[in-house]
């Protein structure tokens, strides 16, 4: 009997969980503020005396990841990814079940169907399964691309706000906290910057829609054509 290789591959893709670490489609890290990867460097902060006022310092630090995650913008993006990712996974599961049912129906026809006709039906099923696999992979890629664009837009919009805060503090540079071996926590402006960004940018939904020309997540429904 002909093996439905394309179908097996389709099921592997459709059945694979979309959610990674509680995020339905975990967006690739986008770090416009940092070109190097300092994850292996030791770093830390030293607490200043209690009640210390914001300092005027030539160098300030920011936790880039916390800046996004704790902002209203980042929280909106995470919530949208979780919702859309659940929809994407549910559709993947539904299509996997639908294709499995079609395979069972086709297998049942083998003994009563002309060999040439059965071969034609099997090839048509393989083509549909391959098409579904590609469409679902593209849907996940599109969602990741939207998440990446949203994150990039956040950092782009944050730069002017960060620049103004930097000038207020008399600084000439803001470093990613992970690139610093040790520093006083009073030069960390992450919390202050989150407050400023929430006040000036909100959740960023309107900004992203303008930059993407109103682009939204793709339609999740991709029913394969009915079996001939």
């Amino acid at each position: 009997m002909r093996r439905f290789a394309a179908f097996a591959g389709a099921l592997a893709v459709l059945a694979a969980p979309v959610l990674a670490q509680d995020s339905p489609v975990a967006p690739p890290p986008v770090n416009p503020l940092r070109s190097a990867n300092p994850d292996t460097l030791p770093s830390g902060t030293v607490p200043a005396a209690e009640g210390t006022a914001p300092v005027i310092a030539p160098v300030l630090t920011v936790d880039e990841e916390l800046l996004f995650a704790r902002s209203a913008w980042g929280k909106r993006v995470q919530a949208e990814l979780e919702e859309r990712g659940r929809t994407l996974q549910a559709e993947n599961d539904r299509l996997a079940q639908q294709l499995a049912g079609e395979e069972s129906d086709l297998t049942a026809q083998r003994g009563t169907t002309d060999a040439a006709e059965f071969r034609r039906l099997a090839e048509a099923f393989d083509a549909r399964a391959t098409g579904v696999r590609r469409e679902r992979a593209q849907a996940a890629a599109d969602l990741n691309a939207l998440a990446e664009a949203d994150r990039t837009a956040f950092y782009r919009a944050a730069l002017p706000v960060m620049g103004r805060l930097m000038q207020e503090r008399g600084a000439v540079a803001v470093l990613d906290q992970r690139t610093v071996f040790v520093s006083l926590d009073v030069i960390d402006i992450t919390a202050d910057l989150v407050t400023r960004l929430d006040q000036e940018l909100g959740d960023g939904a309107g900004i992203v829609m303008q930059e993407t020309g109103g682009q939204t997540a793709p339609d999740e429904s991709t029913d394969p054509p009915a079996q001939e």
Side-chain angles (χ1 to χ4, degrees):
M1 175 180 176
R2 177 185 175 85
R3 297 291 296 173
F4 305 126
F7 171 66
L11 284 183
V13 171
L14 295 177
V18 179
L19 181 63
Q21 296 182 348
D22 297 327
S23 174
V25 180
V30 181
N31 302 317
L33 305 182
R34 186 183 73 248
S35 58
N37 183 0
D39 292 340
T40 59
L41 295 177
S43 63
T45 59
V46 177
E50 187 175 351
T52 302
V55 299
I56 302 300
V59 176
L60 302 172
T61 62
V62 65
D63 187 317
E64 182 185 339
E65 295 303 320
L66 286 181
L67 182 66
F68 183 69
R70 293 182 178 177
S71 68
W73 192 320
K75 291 175 181 177
R76 173 189 59 79
V77 172
Q78 181 64 21
E80 289 179 355
L81 285 177
E82 290 176 354
E83 180 181 356
R84 292 175 179 177
R86 283 191 294 267
T87 301
L88 183 64
Q89 187 62 57
E91 183 66 8
N92 287 353
D93 294 342
R94 186 186 70 81
L95 288 170
Q97 292 177 0
Q98 181 175 330
L99 289 172
E102 287 189 20
E103 186 199 27
S104 296
D105 292 343
L106 183 59
T107 300
Q109 297 178 45
R110 184 186 182 193
T112 58
T113 304
D114 175 76
E117 175 64 10
F118 183 79
R119 186 180 305 109
R120 185 187 70 81
L121 293 174
E123 289 175 352
F125 176 78
D126 280 351
R128 282 198 306 280
T130 298
V132 169
R133 179 182 59 184
R134 289 174 178 168
E135 288 170 356
R136 303 318 295 163
Q138 186 60 53
D142 289 346
L143 188 53
N144 274 319
L146 285 175
E148 183 175 343
D150 217 328
R151 189 178 172 97
T152 300
F154 168 78
Y155 286 114
R156 185 182 299 115
L159 283 174
V161 181
M162 186 183 301
R164 291 192 292 273
L165 184 57
M166 181 178 69
Q167 291 178 331
E168 292 173 13
R169 299 288 181 89
V172 295
V174 177
L175 304 179
D176 186 334
Q177 198 173 83
R178 289 171 297 174
T179 67
V180 179
F181 187 78
V182 64
S183 64
L184 290 174
D185 60 4
V186 292
I187 70 169
D188 177 19
I189 61 171
T190 304
D192 291 340
L193 190 52
V194 166
T195 299
R196 290 279 188 95
L197 292 172
D198 287 354
Q199 291 173 347
E200 298 190 27
L201 304 178
D203 67 5
I207 297 174
V208 175
M209 290 295 287
Q210 291 173 8
E211 292 193 359
T212 60
Q215 183 181 11
T216 58
D219 183 4
E220 300 302 340
S221 179
T222 53
D223 287 334
Q227 184 175 338
E228 298 179 5

